[in-house]
């Protein structure tokens, strides 16, 4: 099933079911796509307006970046489902004998690393989106400023959601050095970009009240 192309109601129904995918990672990617699109809408409503002619070239460039990010997020919905299946199977591998234990450990090391890679990429894309929405909020059409605020709130939620999908997998890693390295990357993104997202949101809120 292509989770990025099913109707919204179907995605939500499958998400609510006991089906293993989509899960928190895929949902975070979808929220990131929606948040990015809301920022992109601000650009769309700015381009072509005489009042904003001096920033039009920048808006067009930012919109092109958002177009790509939206595609990336939708791709990551599918990738998250793809990497979870091998992980799910690996947890069920037998470990009665020493050989089975060794084989399970070998496979788990591979699939856990893969399972971390997707939510980590989702987080990176969220950071990119937040940076872009900051520009839309500061320079785009004032009539669409609320959409920039909603967009950045969504991207922050997606960032935090994806981080939990990294942490749950690093917790199971035997390679504690790699786990610590991945956790540190997540920590850094969360520390920097949740603050930035909040600043953008608060700035938007201040202009609306």
């Amino acid at each position: 099933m292509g989770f990025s192309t099913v109707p919204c109601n179907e995605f939500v129904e499958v998400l609510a079911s006991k089906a293993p995918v989509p899960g928190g990672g895929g949902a975070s990617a979808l929220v990131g796509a929606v948040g990015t699109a809301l920022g992109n809408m601000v650009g769309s409503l700015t381009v072509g307006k005489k009042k904003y002619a001096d920033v039009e070239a920048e808006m067009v460039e930012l919109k092109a970046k958002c177009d790509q990010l939206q595609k990336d997020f939708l791709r990551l919905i599918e990738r998250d489902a793809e990497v979870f299946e091998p992980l799910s199977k690996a947890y069920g591998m037998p470990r009665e004998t020493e050989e089975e234990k060794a084989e399970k450990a070998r496979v788990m090391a591979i699939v856990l690393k893969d399972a971390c890679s997707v939510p980590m990429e989702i987080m990176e894309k969220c950071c990119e989106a937040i940076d872009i929405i900051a520009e839309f909020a500061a320079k785009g059409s004032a009539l669409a400023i609320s959409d920039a605020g909603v967009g950045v709130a969504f991207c922050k939620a997606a960032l935090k959601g994806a981080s939990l999908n990294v942490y749950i997998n690093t917790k199971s890693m035997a390679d504690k050095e790699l786990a610590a390295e991945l956790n540190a990357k997540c920590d850094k993104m969360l520390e920097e970009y949740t603050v930035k997202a909040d600043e953008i949101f608060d700035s938007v809120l201040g202009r609306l009240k």
Side-chain angles (χ1 to χ4, degrees), residues 1-197:
M1 180 185 290
F3 292 113
S4 65
T5 57
V6 298
C8 292
N9 64 315
E10 191 172 329
F11 184 94
V12 171
E13 286 168 8
V14 178
L15 191 64
S17 75
K18 62 183 180 181
V21 291
S28 295
L30 178 59
V31 171
V34 173
T36 302
L38 280 165
N40 207 353
M41 183 170 72
V42 179
S44 296
L45 292 168
T46 305
V47 171
K49 300 291 176 63
K50 290 182 181 179
K51 182 178 178 181
Y52 300 99
D54 58 331
V55 296
E56 176 148 346
E58 186 178 358
M59 291 290 110
V60 169
E61 184 179 339
L62 292 173
K63 277 181 54 55
K65 291 180 179 178
C66 280
D67 288 342
Q68 184 58 53
L69 278 174
Q70 288 162 209
K71 292 176 184 176
D72 291 338
F73 277 123
L74 295 177
R75 171 181 56 82
L76 288 165
I77 295 174
E78 309 298 351
R79 279 294 296 147
D80 188 69
E82 288 169 8
V83 298
F84 183 79
E85 185 179 0
L87 177 61
S88 179
K89 289 180 179 177
Y91 273 117
M93 290 176 67
R95 53 194 305 268
E96 299 299 321
T97 67
E98 290 305 314
E99 289 80 6
E100 287 175 343
K101 289 178 183 177
E103 178 61 11
K104 182 172 184 176
R106 184 190 70 79
V107 172
M108 285 294 293
I110 296 169
V111 296
L112 282 168
K113 187 175 180 180
D114 287 343
C116 283
S117 68
V118 175
M120 185 70 77
E121 188 176 353
I122 293 169
M123 291 184 73
E124 291 165 354
K125 300 297 180 187
C126 287
C127 294
E128 290 180 45
I130 290 168
D131 281 335
I132 294 172
I133 294 173
E135 298 301 313
F136 283 136
K139 303 172 186 177
S141 172
L143 295 175
I145 189 67
S146 60
D147 297 301
V150 178
V152 83
F154 278 27
C155 287
K156 176 189 171 184
L159 175 71
K160 294 179 73 173
S163 75
L164 297 181
N165 288 274
V166 175
Y167 293 135
I168 195 170
N169 288 313
T170 55
K171 187 176 179 66
S172 298
M173 284 181 169
D175 186 344
K176 298 306 178 187
E177 186 175 336
L178 175 61
E181 180 184 328
L182 294 171
N183 284 349
K185 286 181 180 179
C186 282
D187 293 344
K188 188 172 186 297
M189 284 189 278
L190 285 173
E191 182 179 351
E192 181 177 352
Y193 278 91
T194 56
V195 171
K196 183 165 188 174

